[in-house]
Amino acid sequence: MDGAEHWWPGGSKEMKDTLPELQKCERKIDLLVEFVNICRDMKAVVSEPIFRVPGFDTDTKNLSDRFQQLFRIWGPVLTQNAKPWVAAGLPVDHDLLAQAACRLKDLVFDFLARVMSDIASMYTSGFKIRRARQLRGMLLDGLKRILDCCSVAKVHGEDLINAASQTVEKSIVLTIDEFEVSGNNMKRADVLQHFEEILRVSSELKSIAQAIAPANSKNTQILEMVNNADTLQNVLYDSCQRLMEHIMKQTQCLAAPSGTPQKSQSHDLVLWLMFGCKFINRVLDMVGQDRVATDEKMKEVLKALQSLEDNLPD
């Protein structure tokens, strides 16, 4: 068709306009070529084990790159469950599609397992802030890949949400530990950005939960969907506690001799309070109202937030 200008007056566009049936035929040919190429690729990939190498950086890069490569090629077909192929009457092998979707999931899980292993090694050899930040970034990348998998491997939804919740838990622990090491030396903007990272990974978990939840589900209670609910709730509480402790320290530092913040300094405290409210509200949304109502730790955080608000000048 691309060379039609050599043998049809006006080229391929004129040819399609003159022969409308040709467009339907061309689409079928394109689908057939796509079908043959992708199925052949899937069979070749799933018949071999996932390629691994010893070095951490090379291994994780290979796993990440391989996932993105395959997701780009297979994703559109798997997301639609090969409906265009079925509609065209092509012999779709649904078992092969399921194996391909599972391979994408396994690539992500292998990537996260390698990152988790390196995190454990870092704690054994000594916590390093720069390394912790790098590993947190990789955990976030893993969460994004899990969200990609939700569109092609929803049948593995339980495995996906549990892997995501464990990843978020580990990311929050890293964030809190990093804050404990350097929090007192951080500027306000750095502290806010630090805790925004916790909200960011929590938001990714919420998106994953919504992606695998039943279509008729209105209220997605994330902690009711995961097998590490208690430990995840605890690290979320710890993050709230660390933030409130930091805000209370700022209140004391900015307070006038009378114990009340000066008017010129109250703006900073208002900004802290606003962020504290935002952060805690997002955490409460993650935990769920039922759990908050019976959690004494979260009640303590809410009381501290209320106390701070009461001490602000009018």
Side-chain angles (χ1 to χ4, degrees), residues 80-98:
Q80 300 179 74
N81 198 25
K83 288 181 180 178
W85 293 356
V86 173
L90 297 172
V92 177
D93 184 345
H94 288 284
D95 287 340
L96 177 61
L97 297 182

Side-chain angles (χ1 to χ4, degrees), residues 62-101:
N62 284 344
L63 290 169
S64 180
D65 289 350
R66 187 59 167 155
F67 173 86
Q68 293 182 61
Q69 176 193 29
L70 294 179
F71 186 79
R72 184 176 62 253
I73 299 171
W74 299 354
V77 174
L78 294 175
T79 300
Q80 300 179 74
N81 198 25
K83 288 181 180 178
W85 293 356
V86 173
L90 297 172
V92 177
D93 184 345
H94 288 284
D95 287 340
L96 177 61
L97 297 182
Q99 293 176 50

Side-chain angles (χ1 to χ4, degrees), residues 104-120:
L104 290 173
K105 171 186 69 72
D106 289 344
L107 284 167
V108 178
F109 283 13
D110 283 2
F111 172 85
L112 285 171
R114 190 67 197 264
V115 175
M116 293 288 193
S117 177
D118 202 68
I119 291 173

Side-chain angles (χ1 to χ4, degrees), residues 174-204:
L174 278 173
T175 304
I176 293 173
D177 289 344
E178 182 184 337
F179 182 72
E180 288 294 302
V181 172
S182 58
N184 291 332
N185 300 320
M186 286 183 173
K187 297 179 181 179
R188 185 181 68 207
D190 294 331
V191 173
L192 298 185
Q193 182 178 10
H194 205 70
F195 282 90
E196 283 284 2
E197 288 297 317
I198 294 178
L199 297 183
R200 187 176 181 184
V201 295
S202 299
S203 178
E204 289 290 335

